[in-house]
Amino acid sequence: MTSNDTQPGKTLVLTVGTGDMERQEKTLFQPLRISIQQGGWKRAILLPSRLTHEYAEELKQRLAREPVDVDIEIRHLSKKGDENDLDACYDHFDRVLRDILEEGIPPTDLGVDFTRGTKVMSAALVLAAIRRDIPRLRYVEGDRDERGHVIPGTERLAEPSIAHIDARKRLDTAYRLMRRGNFAAVVDLLQADPDELPEEFREPFASIASVARFYAAWDRLDYGAAHRVATEEGESLGSGCKGRWSGMVPSPATLDWVEALAAPHPKGELDRETMLFAAARIRKLVVDLFANGRRRLRDAHLEDALLRAYRILELVGQMLLFEKGYDSARLPVDDEVVQATREFLEQKKEGFVLDKKTNRYQAARMPTAYLLTKLGDGRGKRLRQEADTGAIPARVRNRSILIHGFEASATGPQEMRGLFDRLEQFLAGEILRDDWAKSLSVARSMDFSPGTAATG
């Protein structure tokens, strides 16, 4: 046979056995011929054992003499006895399927027929096909005689759907990804045309994907997008998450938490009531960033974790100032305490930045900490200590490749975990106190990794 095109086209892969040795024509060659001739195949690849290689060669020669426009190839198992070795069969068949796919043949143009061969060969080919996401399986069935053999002349092709197997496999993979916090991957994995899914999987796929979209947005700190997902889904969010998935459905407390974080930070000139609102939102943001930083540590994203820790200390200073009626971005130039702090900072060759548009001072983290001290808040000194020699020295953060440096500045995983342990002691013991444990529990509710939150 000569090739029809440069591109091999639709390809059928078939295992080759012995058939009934007394009736090989009707129990081996005829069923194989039926399968090859039906389906519009351009190429057929025969997979015999060493024992049945001669039968594959004979079938190839027979088809060459018939008006069958199909190229025939033979790729036999490596050695005698492999037909009863599941690993050997699987490895060989998987390589064959891989090679075909690498030629550019899409899985939808590839079929496998596991009718003939040992049971081990048939099982191995089906397993390899499922691994390679090949949707078209087939075997020759028919009426059976008293020995359980298909009666010649009654043969017919059966093409069982693997849609259920594929759907369950995707859900298993999605579950593992969800537990590791790989939410965006879950969304991609479960995107599917509902018409292509078995009916019983349509609701779970859509429901789990919605929950994953919620967590993906929350995890990337896009609280607004997460809140929109929750709002669009309403009470149906996670309604299709049953069994092991039920523990991953956002709780009412989680939804309230994200809704609060999604509220925009107030801008412009703030009155006392608005400053207290901003402080309350920042309290939640501090906890949420801490939980987010822990997840970055879990995934060994050390530079990302470092920046979150630094930003937390900045937020703490801003929050404490809001609680005292000061906005670090709009400090009044005529305020006595602000003036005293400015004069003190000038002696240290530091200071506020004057915003000429608003005629107000802006304070970075260290000036904010000094201002808090002048206002009688001892936590200002603690903020300075953490910035100088404590959990997150400013010089370390500034050297990060993500800020001003040219290489990673975070230390190793163990040291970074120690940094977050110290930061947690500071936040729990001196900043949020009684609110810490409850708030952190909600902020960590998307962490389903083993040993943390419940997995359902």
Side-chain angles (χ1 to χ4, degrees):
M1 285 275 164
T2 59
S3 178
N4 299 282
D5 305 287
T6 302
Q7 180 75 0
K10 292 179 63 178
T11 300
L12 178 65
V13 178
L14 310 91
T15 50
V16 179
T18 62
D20 185 338
M21 297 297 290
E22 297 178 359
R23 300 183 298 169
Q24 275 197 323
E25 176 62 36
K26 293 185 178 297
T27 62
L28 176 63
F29 296 116
Q30 185 171 318
L32 289 172
R33 184 187 296 109
I34 289 172
S35 186
I36 291 171
Q37 291 177 343
Q38 296 184 28
W41 308 106
K42 297 297 183 182
R43 175 173 61 165
I45 297 179
L46 305 179
L47 303 176
S49 65
R50 284 292 186 178
L51 177 64
T52 60
H53 182 266
E54 61 180 291
Y55 306 136
E57 287 286 359
E58 183 174 347
L59 177 63
K60 181 178 179 179
Q61 293 171 14
R62 289 187 181 196
L63 290 175
R65 297 191 293 267
E66 298 180 8
V68 179
D69 191 20
V70 181
D71 288 336
I72 305 296
E73 299 177 23
I74 300 175
R75 302 191 190 181
H76 55 72
L77 291 167
S78 297
K79 59 182 183 295
K80 184 178 179 180
D82 279 356
E83 64 272 17
N84 295 312
D85 184 329
L86 183 61
D87 288 334
C89 287
Y90 177 85
D91 289 343
H92 178 67
F93 298 161
D94 184 62
R95 283 194 299 271
V96 170
L97 296 179
R98 179 202 63 195
D99 292 345
I100 297 170
L101 293 170
E102 289 181 350
E103 292 174 358
I105 304 297
T108 52
D109 281 354
L110 181 56
V112 297
D113 184 321
F114 56 95
T115 306
R116 294 293 173 235
T118 64
K119 290 183 178 179
V120 168
M121 291 170 67
S122 296
L125 182 57
V126 170
L127 289 172
I130 291 174
R131 184 213 172 181
R132 296 293 175 177
D133 295 320
I134 296 168
R136 304 182 66 174
L137 302 183
R138 58 164 49 184
Y139 62 93
V140 177
E141 62 173 358
D143 299 336
R144 302 277 177 173
D145 60 21
E146 66 278 1
R147 294 180 299 172
H149 296 163
V150 173
I151 300 173
T154 68
E155 298 94 344
R156 54 186 175 271
L157 282 174
E159 295 190 333
S161 170
I162 65 165
H164 286 75
I165 298 173
D166 178 68
R168 288 190 174 92
K169 184 177 71 166
R170 288 164 69 182
L171 286 176
D172 287 342
T173 303
Y175 184 73
R176 291 192 294 271
L177 291 170
M178 189 83 102
R179 292 190 71 184
R180 291 300 303 169
N182 214 333
F183 307 116
V186 174
V187 175
D188 289 341
L189 184 64
L190 298 185
Q191 284 181 344
D193 183 347
D195 293 336
E196 296 178 358
L197 289 172
E199 186 173 355
E200 63 267 36
F201 290 97
R202 294 173 187 175
E203 183 183 10
F205 266 56
S207 188
I208 295 166
S210 293
V211 169
R213 277 194 293 271
F214 171 82
Y215 286 129
W218 181 14
D219 193 45
R220 67 174 183 264
L221 309 176
D222 192 346
Y223 306 116
H227 181 52
R228 284 193 296 275
V229 172
T231 302
E232 291 167 1
E233 295 293 328
E235 294 182 359
S236 66
L237 181 65
S239 60
C241 298
K242 308 298 183 183
R244 60 181 176 175
W245 293 98
S246 59
M248 297 183 179
V249 178
S251 67
T254 295
L255 298 176
D256 290 344
W257 177 266
V258 172
E259 181 179 10
L261 289 170
H265 184 76
K267 299 178 181 179
E269 196 73 31
L270 309 183
D271 56 26
R272 178 63 174 160
E273 182 179 354
T274 307
M275 286 188 183
L276 291 176
F277 167 81
R281 179 180 179 274
I282 291 176
R283 289 176 73 85
K284 289 182 170 60
L285 187 55
V286 164
V287 180
D288 204 73
L289 273 183
F290 181 85
N292 191 289
R294 284 286 196 190
R295 292 193 298 275
R296 302 289 80 78
L297 280 181
R298 176 199 67 194
D299 299 333
H301 297 163
L302 304 186
E303 291 299 296
D304 290 338
L306 175 68
L307 298 192
R308 282 156 174 75
Y310 184 90
R311 177 59 178 146
I312 285 169
L313 291 183
E314 287 184 325
L315 286 169
V316 167
Q318 293 169 317
M319 178 192 76
L320 295 177
L321 279 186
F322 274 132
E323 290 177 349
K324 297 181 181 304
Y326 289 84
D327 181 351
S328 63
R330 302 173 72 92
L331 296 173
V333 296
D334 55 355
D335 183 272
E336 292 183 3
V337 181
V338 172
Q339 284 287 1
T341 305
R342 182 185 64 80
E343 293 171 0
F344 175 79
L345 289 171
E346 286 179 347
Q347 297 176 10
K348 298 178 66 64
K349 297 184 179 180
E350 297 184 29
F352 302 128
V353 176
L354 180 64
D355 185 340
K356 295 182 179 179
K357 292 183 179 179
T358 62
N359 196 35
R360 297 294 182 92
Y361 290 131
Q362 296 177 343
R365 185 175 73 164
M366 289 300 285
T368 292
Y370 279 111
L371 178 56
L372 283 168
T373 302
K374 289 291 184 180
L375 290 168
D377 192 328
R379 291 172 294 185
K381 182 178 180 180
R382 287 286 285 112
L383 282 175
R384 296 200 310 274
Q385 290 174 342
E386 293 300 327
D388 287 338
T389 59
I392 309 95
R395 66 182 183 278
V396 175
R397 173 263 190 185
N398 291 338
R399 288 201 304 265
S400 170
I401 193 172
L402 298 177
I403 303 299
H404 304 302
F406 298 95
E407 57 189 6
S409 62
T411 53
Q414 184 174 350
E415 292 81 1
M416 287 296 296
R417 283 192 290 270
L419 180 154
F420 267 78
D421 288 343
R422 173 169 175 159
L423 180 59
E424 182 170 7
Q425 292 175 358
F426 173 55
L427 296 174
E430 301 184 46
I431 305 301
L432 297 172
R433 298 188 175 93
D434 295 340
D435 293 338
W436 176 255
K438 181 178 180 181
S439 296
L440 184 61
S441 177
V442 178
R444 293 179 68 230
S445 63
M446 77 164 83
D447 190 349
F448 310 111
S449 54
T452 53
T455 59

